Amino acid sequence: VLAYNRILKIRDMILKGADFGKVARDSSEDPSAKENNGELGYFTGMQMVYPFETVAFNTKPGTVSMPVR
């Protein structure tokens, strides 16, 4: 629950106009976010876990989905 609430706050910051890359660098627990600003790059089907992949391919460009478990 704590992690989910933290992610919702981060999502809200982005929806209110915060720079995605800066938020990714400052908030992510993934060390690669410091270098890639949270950008995952190009990926095709069957490269990510299914729940994430489903949301990624169904979220309109320029929008932010709800957190994915």
Side-chain angles (χ1 to χ4, degrees):
V1 174
L2 293 176
Y4 186 80
N5 288 335
R6 179 175 175 264
I7 293 167
L8 286 178
K9 288 179 185 177
I10 292 167
R11 180 181 183 270
D12 191 52
M13 290 169 44
I14 294 167
L15 290 176
K16 289 180 177 176
D19 179 77
F20 181 90
K22 180 174 180 356
V23 172
R25 287 189 309 272
D26 294 346
S27 304
S28 181
E29 294 177 9
D30 180 352
S32 71
K34 304 282 187 239
E35 301 296 321
N36 65 18
N37 299 316
E39 295 288 332
L40 299 178
Y42 180 82
F43 59 90
T44 61
M46 309 303 282
Q47 287 185 292
M48 302 286 185
V49 294
Y50 185 76
F52 176 82
E53 188 175 279
T54 300
V55 171
F57 286 121
N58 288 296
T59 301
K60 293 180 183 177
T63 63
V64 181
S65 75
M66 290 298 290
V68 178
R69 183 174 214 122

Short mmCIF file of all heavy atoms in Angstrom, two decimals:
data_model
loop_
_atom_site.label_atom_id
_atom_site.label_comp_id
_atom_site.label_asym_id
_atom_site.label_seq_id
_atom_site.Cartn_x
_atom_site.Cartn_y
_atom_site.Cartn_z
N VAL A 1 0.83 -1.19 0.00
CA VAL A 1 0.00 0.00 0.00
C VAL A 1 0.88 1.25 0.00
O VAL A 1 0.57 2.21 -0.70
CB VAL A 1 -0.98 0.00 1.20
CG1 VAL A 1 -1.75 1.29 1.29
CG2 VAL A 1 -1.93 -1.17 1.10
N LEU A 2 1.94 1.27 0.77
CA LEU A 2 2.81 2.45 0.82
C LEU A 2 3.45 2.73 -0.53
O LEU A 2 3.50 3.88 -0.98
CB LEU A 2 3.90 2.27 1.89
CG LEU A 2 3.43 2.23 3.34
CD1 LEU A 2 4.60 1.95 4.27
CD2 LEU A 2 2.75 3.52 3.71
N ALA A 3 3.92 1.67 -1.19
CA ALA A 3 4.54 1.85 -2.50
C ALA A 3 3.53 2.36 -3.51
O ALA A 3 3.82 3.26 -4.30
CB ALA A 3 5.16 0.54 -2.97
N TYR A 4 2.32 1.80 -3.50
CA TYR A 4 1.28 2.23 -4.43
C TYR A 4 0.94 3.70 -4.22
O TYR A 4 0.84 4.47 -5.18
CB TYR A 4 0.04 1.35 -4.25
CG TYR A 4 -1.03 1.63 -5.28
CD1 TYR A 4 -0.93 1.09 -6.56
CD2 TYR A 4 -2.13 2.42 -4.97
CE1 TYR A 4 -1.91 1.33 -7.50
CE2 TYR A 4 -3.11 2.67 -5.92
CZ TYR A 4 -3.00 2.13 -7.19
OH TYR A 4 -3.95 2.38 -8.13
N ASN A 5 0.79 4.11 -2.97
CA ASN A 5 0.49 5.52 -2.68
C ASN A 5 1.63 6.43 -3.12
O ASN A 5 1.40 7.53 -3.62
CB ASN A 5 0.19 5.71 -1.20
CG ASN A 5 -1.15 5.13 -0.82
OD1 ASN A 5 -2.04 4.99 -1.65
ND2 ASN A 5 -1.30 4.76 0.43
N ARG A 6 2.87 5.98 -2.94
CA ARG A 6 4.03 6.76 -3.39
C ARG A 6 3.99 6.93 -4.91
O ARG A 6 4.22 8.02 -5.44
CB ARG A 6 5.32 6.06 -2.97
CG ARG A 6 6.58 6.77 -3.41
CD ARG A 6 7.82 6.06 -2.85
NE ARG A 6 9.02 6.67 -3.37
CZ ARG A 6 9.68 6.22 -4.41
NH1 ARG A 6 9.29 5.13 -5.04
NH2 ARG A 6 10.77 6.83 -4.84
N ILE A 7 3.67 5.85 -5.61
CA ILE A 7 3.60 5.91 -7.07
C ILE A 7 2.47 6.83 -7.52
O ILE A 7 2.62 7.58 -8.50
CB ILE A 7 3.45 4.49 -7.65
CG1 ILE A 7 4.72 3.69 -7.39
CG2 ILE A 7 3.13 4.52 -9.14
CD1 ILE A 7 4.58 2.20 -7.62
N LEU A 8 1.34 6.80 -6.83
CA LEU A 8 0.23 7.70 -7.19
C LEU A 8 0.64 9.15 -7.03
O LEU A 8 0.27 10.00 -7.86
CB LEU A 8 -1.00 7.39 -6.35
CG LEU A 8 -1.77 6.13 -6.71
CD1 LEU A 8 -2.95 5.95 -5.76
CD2 LEU A 8 -2.25 6.16 -8.15
N LYS A 9 1.41 9.46 -5.99
CA LYS A 9 1.89 10.84 -5.80
C LYS A 9 2.84 11.24 -6.93
O LYS A 9 2.79 12.37 -7.43
CB LYS A 9 2.58 10.99 -4.45
CG LYS A 9 1.63 10.97 -3.29
CD LYS A 9 2.37 11.09 -1.96
CE LYS A 9 1.39 10.94 -0.81
NZ LYS A 9 2.05 10.99 0.49
N ILE A 10 3.71 10.31 -7.34
CA ILE A 10 4.63 10.59 -8.44
C ILE A 10 3.85 10.81 -9.74
O ILE A 10 4.12 11.74 -10.49
CB ILE A 10 5.65 9.43 -8.58
CG1 ILE A 10 6.57 9.41 -7.37
CG2 ILE A 10 6.43 9.54 -9.88
CD1 ILE A 10 7.40 8.15 -7.25
N ARG A 11 2.86 9.96 -9.99
CA ARG A 11 2.01 10.10 -11.17
C ARG A 11 1.32 11.46 -11.17
O ARG A 11 1.26 12.15 -12.18
CB ARG A 11 0.97 8.99 -11.20
CG ARG A 11 0.04 9.05 -12.40
CD ARG A 11 -0.99 7.91 -12.36
NE ARG A 11 -1.83 7.92 -13.52
CZ ARG A 11 -2.98 8.59 -13.59
NH1 ARG A 11 -3.42 9.28 -12.55
NH2 ARG A 11 -3.68 8.57 -14.72
N ASP A 12 0.80 11.86 -10.01
CA ASP A 12 0.12 13.15 -9.90
C ASP A 12 1.06 14.31 -10.22
O ASP A 12 0.66 15.27 -10.87
CB ASP A 12 -0.48 13.29 -8.49
CG ASP A 12 -1.41 14.47 -8.38
OD1 ASP A 12 -2.33 14.60 -9.22
OD2 ASP A 12 -1.22 15.28 -7.44
N MET A 13 2.31 14.21 -9.78
CA MET A 13 3.30 15.26 -10.09
C MET A 13 3.46 15.39 -11.60
O MET A 13 3.49 16.51 -12.13
CB MET A 13 4.65 14.92 -9.46
CG MET A 13 4.68 15.02 -7.96
SD MET A 13 6.18 14.33 -7.18
CE MET A 13 7.50 14.93 -8.19
N ILE A 14 3.54 14.27 -12.30
CA ILE A 14 3.71 14.29 -13.75
C ILE A 14 2.46 14.85 -14.42
O ILE A 14 2.55 15.68 -15.33
CB ILE A 14 4.05 12.88 -14.27
CG1 ILE A 14 5.42 12.46 -13.75
CG2 ILE A 14 4.02 12.84 -15.80
CD1 ILE A 14 5.74 11.00 -13.93
N LEU A 15 1.28 14.44 -13.96
CA LEU A 15 0.04 14.95 -14.53
C LEU A 15 -0.10 16.46 -14.33
O LEU A 15 -0.73 17.13 -15.14
CB LEU A 15 -1.16 14.22 -13.92
CG LEU A 15 -1.33 12.76 -14.31
CD1 LEU A 15 -2.50 12.14 -13.55
CD2 LEU A 15 -1.53 12.61 -15.81
N LYS A 16 0.50 16.97 -13.26
CA LYS A 16 0.44 18.41 -12.99
C LYS A 16 1.54 19.18 -13.72
O LYS A 16 1.68 20.38 -13.52
CB LYS A 16 0.51 18.66 -11.49
CG LYS A 16 -0.76 18.24 -10.77
CD LYS A 16 -0.67 18.51 -9.28
CE LYS A 16 -1.98 18.13 -8.61
NZ LYS A 16 -1.91 18.29 -7.16
N GLY A 17 2.32 18.48 -14.55
CA GLY A 17 3.29 19.18 -15.38
C GLY A 17 4.75 19.00 -15.04
O GLY A 17 5.61 19.57 -15.71
N ALA A 18 5.06 18.22 -14.02
CA ALA A 18 6.47 17.99 -13.69
C ALA A 18 7.14 17.25 -14.84
O ALA A 18 6.51 16.46 -15.54
CB ALA A 18 6.59 17.18 -12.40
N ASP A 19 8.40 17.52 -15.06
CA ASP A 19 9.16 16.88 -16.12
C ASP A 19 9.33 15.39 -15.83
O ASP A 19 9.87 15.01 -14.78
CB ASP A 19 10.53 17.55 -16.24
CG ASP A 19 11.38 16.91 -17.31
OD1 ASP A 19 11.13 17.17 -18.50
OD2 ASP A 19 12.29 16.13 -16.94
N PHE A 20 8.87 14.54 -16.75
CA PHE A 20 8.91 13.10 -16.56
C PHE A 20 10.33 12.61 -16.28
O PHE A 20 10.55 11.82 -15.36
CB PHE A 20 8.34 12.39 -17.79
CG PHE A 20 8.31 10.89 -17.66
CD1 PHE A 20 7.21 10.26 -17.12
CD2 PHE A 20 9.39 10.12 -18.04
CE1 PHE A 20 7.18 8.88 -16.98
CE2 PHE A 20 9.38 8.75 -17.91
CZ PHE A 20 8.27 8.12 -17.38
N GLY A 21 11.29 13.06 -17.08
CA GLY A 21 12.67 12.60 -16.91
C GLY A 21 13.23 12.96 -15.56
O GLY A 21 13.90 12.15 -14.90
N LYS A 22 12.97 14.18 -15.11
CA LYS A 22 13.47 14.61 -13.79
C LYS A 22 12.82 13.79 -12.69
O LYS A 22 13.50 13.33 -11.77
CB LYS A 22 13.21 16.10 -13.57
CG LYS A 22 13.72 16.58 -12.23
CD LYS A 22 13.58 18.07 -12.07
CE LYS A 22 14.07 18.61 -10.75
NZ LYS A 22 14.53 17.74 -9.73
N VAL A 23 11.52 13.59 -12.80
CA VAL A 23 10.82 12.79 -11.79
C VAL A 23 11.37 11.36 -11.79
O VAL A 23 11.59 10.78 -10.72
CB VAL A 23 9.29 12.81 -12.02
CG1 VAL A 23 8.58 11.84 -11.10
CG2 VAL A 23 8.75 14.22 -11.83
N ALA A 24 11.61 10.80 -12.96
CA ALA A 24 12.17 9.44 -13.05
C ALA A 24 13.54 9.39 -12.39
O ALA A 24 13.82 8.48 -11.61
CB ALA A 24 12.24 8.98 -14.50
N ARG A 25 14.39 10.35 -12.70
CA ARG A 25 15.73 10.37 -12.11
C ARG A 25 15.68 10.50 -10.60
O ARG A 25 16.42 9.83 -9.88
CB ARG A 25 16.56 11.52 -12.69
CG ARG A 25 17.01 11.33 -14.11
CD ARG A 25 18.00 12.40 -14.56
NE ARG A 25 17.54 13.76 -14.32
CZ ARG A 25 16.79 14.48 -15.17
NH1 ARG A 25 16.39 13.94 -16.29
NH2 ARG A 25 16.44 15.70 -14.88
N ASP A 26 14.78 11.34 -10.11
CA ASP A 26 14.70 11.61 -8.68
C ASP A 26 13.95 10.54 -7.88
O ASP A 26 14.19 10.38 -6.69
CB ASP A 26 14.02 12.96 -8.43
CG ASP A 26 14.83 14.14 -8.95
OD1 ASP A 26 16.03 13.96 -9.25
OD2 ASP A 26 14.24 15.24 -9.06
N SER A 27 13.05 9.82 -8.52
CA SER A 27 12.14 8.93 -7.80
C SER A 27 12.36 7.45 -8.03
O SER A 27 11.97 6.64 -7.20
CB SER A 27 10.69 9.25 -8.17
OG SER A 27 10.39 10.60 -7.94
N SER A 28 12.94 7.08 -9.15
CA SER A 28 13.03 5.67 -9.49
C SER A 28 14.03 4.92 -8.63
O SER A 28 15.08 5.45 -8.26
CB SER A 28 13.43 5.51 -10.96
OG SER A 28 13.48 4.14 -11.31
N GLU A 29 13.71 3.67 -8.34
CA GLU A 29 14.64 2.79 -7.64
C GLU A 29 15.51 2.03 -8.63
O GLU A 29 16.41 1.30 -8.23
CB GLU A 29 13.85 1.81 -6.76
CG GLU A 29 13.12 2.51 -5.63
CD GLU A 29 12.28 1.58 -4.80
OE1 GLU A 29 12.36 0.35 -4.97
OE2 GLU A 29 11.52 2.09 -3.95
N ASP A 30 15.25 2.21 -9.92
CA ASP A 30 16.03 1.57 -10.99
C ASP A 30 17.23 2.47 -11.30
O ASP A 30 17.05 3.59 -11.75
CB ASP A 30 15.17 1.40 -12.22
CG ASP A 30 15.89 0.74 -13.38
OD1 ASP A 30 17.12 0.55 -13.30
OD2 ASP A 30 15.22 0.43 -14.37
N PRO A 31 18.45 1.99 -11.06
CA PRO A 31 19.63 2.82 -11.31
C PRO A 31 19.73 3.33 -12.75
O PRO A 31 20.27 4.39 -12.99
CB PRO A 31 20.81 1.91 -10.98
CG PRO A 31 20.25 0.79 -10.20
CD PRO A 31 18.81 0.67 -10.54
N SER A 32 19.18 2.59 -13.72
CA SER A 32 19.27 3.02 -15.12
C SER A 32 18.47 4.29 -15.38
O SER A 32 18.74 5.00 -16.35
CB SER A 32 18.81 1.90 -16.06
OG SER A 32 17.41 1.71 -15.98
N ALA A 33 17.51 4.64 -14.52
CA ALA A 33 16.71 5.85 -14.71
C ALA A 33 17.57 7.10 -14.62
O ALA A 33 17.23 8.13 -15.21
CB ALA A 33 15.58 5.91 -13.69
N LYS A 34 18.69 7.01 -13.92
CA LYS A 34 19.60 8.17 -13.83
C LYS A 34 20.19 8.48 -15.21
O LYS A 34 20.51 9.62 -15.51
CB LYS A 34 20.73 7.89 -12.84
CG LYS A 34 20.28 7.52 -11.45
CD LYS A 34 19.84 8.70 -10.65
CE LYS A 34 19.55 8.31 -9.21
NZ LYS A 34 18.22 8.59 -8.79
N GLU A 35 20.33 7.46 -16.03
CA GLU A 35 20.91 7.63 -17.37
C GLU A 35 19.85 7.80 -18.45
O GLU A 35 20.04 8.57 -19.39
CB GLU A 35 21.79 6.41 -17.72
CG GLU A 35 22.93 6.17 -16.75
CD GLU A 35 23.94 7.31 -16.74
OE1 GLU A 35 24.24 7.84 -17.82
OE2 GLU A 35 24.41 7.65 -15.64
N ASN A 36 18.74 7.04 -18.35
CA ASN A 36 17.77 7.05 -19.44
C ASN A 36 16.53 7.90 -19.17
O ASN A 36 15.60 7.92 -19.98
CB ASN A 36 17.37 5.62 -19.81
CG ASN A 36 16.63 4.90 -18.70
OD1 ASN A 36 16.11 5.50 -17.78
ND2 ASN A 36 16.58 3.58 -18.79
N ASN A 37 16.51 8.59 -18.03
CA ASN A 37 15.39 9.47 -17.67
C ASN A 37 14.04 8.74 -17.66
O ASN A 37 13.01 9.34 -17.93
CB ASN A 37 15.32 10.68 -18.61
CG ASN A 37 16.56 11.52 -18.54
OD1 ASN A 37 17.08 11.78 -17.46
ND2 ASN A 37 17.06 11.93 -19.68
N GLY A 38 14.07 7.44 -17.40
CA GLY A 38 12.83 6.68 -17.35
C GLY A 38 12.32 6.20 -18.70
O GLY A 38 11.29 5.56 -18.78
N GLU A 39 13.06 6.50 -19.76
CA GLU A 39 12.65 6.07 -21.10
C GLU A 39 13.06 4.62 -21.30
O GLU A 39 14.22 4.27 -21.17
CB GLU A 39 13.32 6.95 -22.17
CG GLU A 39 12.89 8.40 -22.14
CD GLU A 39 11.47 8.60 -22.65
OE1 GLU A 39 10.99 7.81 -23.48
OE2 GLU A 39 10.83 9.56 -22.19
N LEU A 40 12.10 3.78 -21.63
CA LEU A 40 12.37 2.36 -21.82
C LEU A 40 12.85 2.03 -23.23
O LEU A 40 13.36 0.95 -23.47
CB LEU A 40 11.12 1.53 -21.52
CG LEU A 40 10.60 1.66 -20.10
CD1 LEU A 40 9.34 0.84 -19.94
CD2 LEU A 40 11.66 1.24 -19.10
N GLY A 41 12.67 2.96 -24.15
CA GLY A 41 13.07 2.70 -25.52
C GLY A 41 12.05 1.81 -26.22
O GLY A 41 10.97 1.53 -25.71
N TYR A 42 12.41 1.36 -27.39
CA TYR A 42 11.53 0.54 -28.21
C TYR A 42 11.50 -0.89 -27.70
O TYR A 42 12.54 -1.47 -27.41
CB TYR A 42 12.02 0.57 -29.67
CG TYR A 42 11.18 -0.24 -30.62
CD1 TYR A 42 10.01 0.29 -31.15
CD2 TYR A 42 11.54 -1.53 -30.96
CE1 TYR A 42 9.23 -0.44 -32.02
CE2 TYR A 42 10.76 -2.27 -31.83
CZ TYR A 42 9.61 -1.73 -32.35
OH TYR A 42 8.84 -2.46 -33.20
N PHE A 43 10.31 -1.44 -27.57
CA PHE A 43 10.20 -2.86 -27.25
C PHE A 43 8.96 -3.42 -27.95
O PHE A 43 8.03 -2.69 -28.26
CB PHE A 43 10.15 -3.12 -25.74
CG PHE A 43 9.03 -2.45 -25.00
CD1 PHE A 43 7.80 -3.08 -24.84
CD2 PHE A 43 9.20 -1.20 -24.44
CE1 PHE A 43 6.78 -2.48 -24.15
CE2 PHE A 43 8.18 -0.58 -23.74
CZ PHE A 43 6.96 -1.22 -23.60
N THR A 44 9.01 -4.69 -28.23
CA THR A 44 7.91 -5.36 -28.92
C THR A 44 7.22 -6.32 -27.95
O THR A 44 7.66 -6.48 -26.81
CB THR A 44 8.43 -6.15 -30.14
OG1 THR A 44 9.34 -7.15 -29.67
CG2 THR A 44 9.12 -5.25 -31.13
N GLY A 45 6.19 -6.96 -28.45
CA GLY A 45 5.46 -7.93 -27.64
C GLY A 45 6.38 -9.05 -27.16
O GLY A 45 7.36 -9.39 -27.80
N MET A 46 6.05 -9.58 -26.01
CA MET A 46 6.76 -10.68 -25.40
C MET A 46 8.14 -10.30 -24.83
O MET A 46 8.93 -11.17 -24.51
CB MET A 46 6.91 -11.87 -26.35
CG MET A 46 5.60 -12.32 -26.99
SD MET A 46 4.31 -12.78 -25.82
CE MET A 46 4.88 -14.38 -25.35
N GLN A 47 8.43 -9.02 -24.70
CA GLN A 47 9.70 -8.59 -24.12
C GLN A 47 9.54 -8.13 -22.67
O GLN A 47 10.52 -8.10 -21.94
CB GLN A 47 10.32 -7.46 -24.93
CG GLN A 47 10.89 -7.92 -26.25
CD GLN A 47 11.59 -6.78 -26.96
OE1 GLN A 47 10.95 -5.83 -27.40
NE2 GLN A 47 12.89 -6.87 -27.06
N MET A 48 8.34 -7.75 -22.29
CA MET A 48 8.07 -7.27 -20.94
C MET A 48 7.06 -8.22 -20.29
O MET A 48 6.45 -9.04 -20.96
CB MET A 48 7.46 -5.85 -20.99
CG MET A 48 8.33 -4.83 -21.66
SD MET A 48 9.71 -4.40 -20.61
CE MET A 48 10.47 -3.11 -21.57
N VAL A 49 6.87 -8.09 -19.00
CA VAL A 49 5.85 -8.90 -18.35
C VAL A 49 4.48 -8.47 -18.88
O VAL A 49 4.24 -7.31 -19.20
CB VAL A 49 5.90 -8.80 -16.81
CG1 VAL A 49 7.19 -9.39 -16.27
CG2 VAL A 49 5.72 -7.38 -16.35
N TYR A 50 3.59 -9.45 -19.01
CA TYR A 50 2.32 -9.24 -19.70
C TYR A 50 1.49 -8.08 -19.16
O TYR A 50 1.00 -7.25 -19.94
CB TYR A 50 1.51 -10.54 -19.72
CG TYR A 50 0.25 -10.40 -20.54
CD1 TYR A 50 0.30 -10.40 -21.92
CD2 TYR A 50 -0.98 -10.26 -19.91
CE1 TYR A 50 -0.86 -10.26 -22.68
CE2 TYR A 50 -2.14 -10.12 -20.66
CZ TYR A 50 -2.07 -10.12 -22.03
OH TYR A 50 -3.21 -9.97 -22.77
N PRO A 51 1.28 -7.95 -17.84
CA PRO A 51 0.46 -6.83 -17.36
C PRO A 51 1.02 -5.47 -17.77
O PRO A 51 0.28 -4.57 -18.18
CB PRO A 51 0.44 -6.99 -15.84
CG PRO A 51 0.73 -8.44 -15.61
CD PRO A 51 1.68 -8.83 -16.73
N PHE A 52 2.34 -5.31 -17.67
CA PHE A 52 2.97 -4.05 -18.06
C PHE A 52 2.83 -3.83 -19.56
O PHE A 52 2.47 -2.74 -20.02
CB PHE A 52 4.45 -4.02 -17.67
CG PHE A 52 5.15 -2.78 -18.15
CD1 PHE A 52 5.05 -1.61 -17.44
CD2 PHE A 52 5.86 -2.80 -19.33
CE1 PHE A 52 5.66 -0.45 -17.90
CE2 PHE A 52 6.47 -1.65 -19.81
CZ PHE A 52 6.37 -0.47 -19.09
N GLU A 53 3.11 -4.85 -20.32
CA GLU A 53 3.04 -4.77 -21.77
C GLU A 53 1.64 -4.38 -22.24
O GLU A 53 1.48 -3.53 -23.12
CB GLU A 53 3.43 -6.13 -22.34
CG GLU A 53 3.61 -6.18 -23.81
CD GLU A 53 4.11 -7.55 -24.21
OE1 GLU A 53 5.32 -7.79 -24.10
OE2 GLU A 53 3.28 -8.38 -24.62
N THR A 54 0.63 -4.97 -21.64
CA THR A 54 -0.75 -4.67 -22.01
C THR A 54 -1.06 -3.19 -21.80
O THR A 54 -1.62 -2.53 -22.67
CB THR A 54 -1.73 -5.54 -21.19
OG1 THR A 54 -1.43 -6.91 -21.46
CG2 THR A 54 -3.17 -5.24 -21.54
N VAL A 55 -0.67 -2.67 -20.65
CA VAL A 55 -0.93 -1.25 -20.38
C VAL A 55 -0.09 -0.37 -21.30
O VAL A 55 -0.59 0.61 -21.86
CB VAL A 55 -0.66 -0.92 -18.89
CG1 VAL A 55 -0.71 0.57 -18.65
CG2 VAL A 55 -1.66 -1.64 -18.01
N ALA A 56 1.17 -0.71 -21.51
CA ALA A 56 2.04 0.10 -22.37
C ALA A 56 1.49 0.21 -23.78
O ALA A 56 1.47 1.30 -24.37
CB ALA A 56 3.45 -0.50 -22.39
N PHE A 57 1.02 -0.89 -24.34
CA PHE A 57 0.52 -0.87 -25.71
C PHE A 57 -0.89 -0.29 -25.82
O PHE A 57 -1.33 0.02 -26.92
CB PHE A 57 0.57 -2.28 -26.31
CG PHE A 57 1.96 -2.72 -26.66
CD1 PHE A 57 2.49 -3.86 -26.09
CD2 PHE A 57 2.76 -1.99 -27.54
CE1 PHE A 57 3.79 -4.28 -26.39
CE2 PHE A 57 4.05 -2.39 -27.83
CZ PHE A 57 4.56 -3.53 -27.27
N ASN A 58 -1.59 -0.12 -24.71
CA ASN A 58 -2.95 0.42 -24.75
C ASN A 58 -3.07 1.84 -24.20
O ASN A 58 -4.16 2.39 -24.17
CB ASN A 58 -3.91 -0.51 -23.99
CG ASN A 58 -4.16 -1.78 -24.76
OD1 ASN A 58 -4.72 -1.74 -25.85
ND2 ASN A 58 -3.73 -2.90 -24.22
N THR A 59 -1.96 2.42 -23.76
CA THR A 59 -1.97 3.79 -23.27
C THR A 59 -1.60 4.72 -24.42
O THR A 59 -0.61 4.51 -25.12
CB THR A 59 -0.96 3.96 -22.11
OG1 THR A 59 -1.34 3.06 -21.06
CG2 THR A 59 -0.96 5.38 -21.58
N LYS A 60 -2.42 5.75 -24.61
CA LYS A 60 -2.18 6.69 -25.71
C LYS A 60 -0.88 7.45 -25.47
O LYS A 60 -0.58 7.83 -24.33
CB LYS A 60 -3.34 7.66 -25.83
CG LYS A 60 -4.62 7.01 -26.27
CD LYS A 60 -5.74 8.02 -26.38
CE LYS A 60 -7.03 7.30 -26.76
NZ LYS A 60 -8.16 8.23 -26.80
N PRO A 61 -0.11 7.68 -26.53
CA PRO A 61 1.12 8.47 -26.39
C PRO A 61 0.81 9.83 -25.75
O PRO A 61 -0.20 10.46 -26.04
CB PRO A 61 1.60 8.63 -27.83
CG PRO A 61 1.03 7.45 -28.55
CD PRO A 61 -0.32 7.22 -27.90
N GLY A 62 1.69 10.24 -24.87
CA GLY A 62 1.55 11.53 -24.20
C GLY A 62 0.67 11.48 -22.96
O GLY A 62 0.47 12.50 -22.32
N THR A 63 0.14 10.31 -22.63
CA THR A 63 -0.67 10.18 -21.43
C THR A 63 0.06 9.30 -20.42
O THR A 63 1.05 8.65 -20.74
CB THR A 63 -2.06 9.58 -21.74
OG1 THR A 63 -1.91 8.25 -22.25
CG2 THR A 63 -2.81 10.43 -22.75
N VAL A 64 -0.44 9.28 -19.20
CA VAL A 64 0.17 8.52 -18.13
C VAL A 64 -0.86 7.52 -17.59
O VAL A 64 -1.94 7.93 -17.17
CB VAL A 64 0.66 9.43 -16.98
CG1 VAL A 64 1.32 8.62 -15.88
CG2 VAL A 64 1.61 10.49 -17.52
N SER A 65 -0.52 6.25 -17.62
CA SER A 65 -1.45 5.23 -17.13
C SER A 65 -1.48 5.22 -15.61
O SER A 65 -0.65 5.83 -14.95
CB SER A 65 -1.02 3.84 -17.64
OG SER A 65 0.11 3.40 -16.91
N MET A 66 -2.40 4.48 -15.09
CA MET A 66 -2.41 4.17 -13.67
C MET A 66 -1.25 3.22 -13.42
O MET A 66 -0.76 2.57 -14.35
CB MET A 66 -3.73 3.53 -13.26
CG MET A 66 -4.91 4.49 -13.28
SD MET A 66 -4.73 5.88 -12.12
CE MET A 66 -4.91 5.03 -10.55
N PRO A 67 -0.78 3.10 -12.19
CA PRO A 67 0.30 2.16 -11.88
C PRO A 67 -0.07 0.73 -12.27
O PRO A 67 -1.24 0.36 -12.22
CB PRO A 67 0.47 2.28 -10.36
CG PRO A 67 -0.09 3.63 -10.03
CD PRO A 67 -1.19 3.86 -11.01
N VAL A 68 0.93 -0.03 -12.64
CA VAL A 68 0.75 -1.43 -13.03
C VAL A 68 1.41 -2.29 -11.98
O VAL A 68 2.57 -2.08 -11.63
CB VAL A 68 1.39 -1.71 -14.42
CG1 VAL A 68 1.24 -3.16 -14.78
CG2 VAL A 68 0.81 -0.79 -15.46
N ARG A 69 0.68 -3.28 -11.51
CA ARG A 69 1.22 -4.17 -10.49
C ARG A 69 2.02 -5.28 -11.14
O ARG A 69 1.69 -5.84 -12.11
CB ARG A 69 0.09 -4.76 -9.67
CG ARG A 69 0.60 -5.62 -8.57
CD ARG A 69 -0.54 -6.08 -7.69
NE ARG A 69 -0.02 -6.14 -6.37
CZ ARG A 69 -0.46 -5.51 -5.32
NH1 ARG A 69 -1.51 -4.76 -5.42
NH2 ARG A 69 0.12 -5.61 -4.16
#
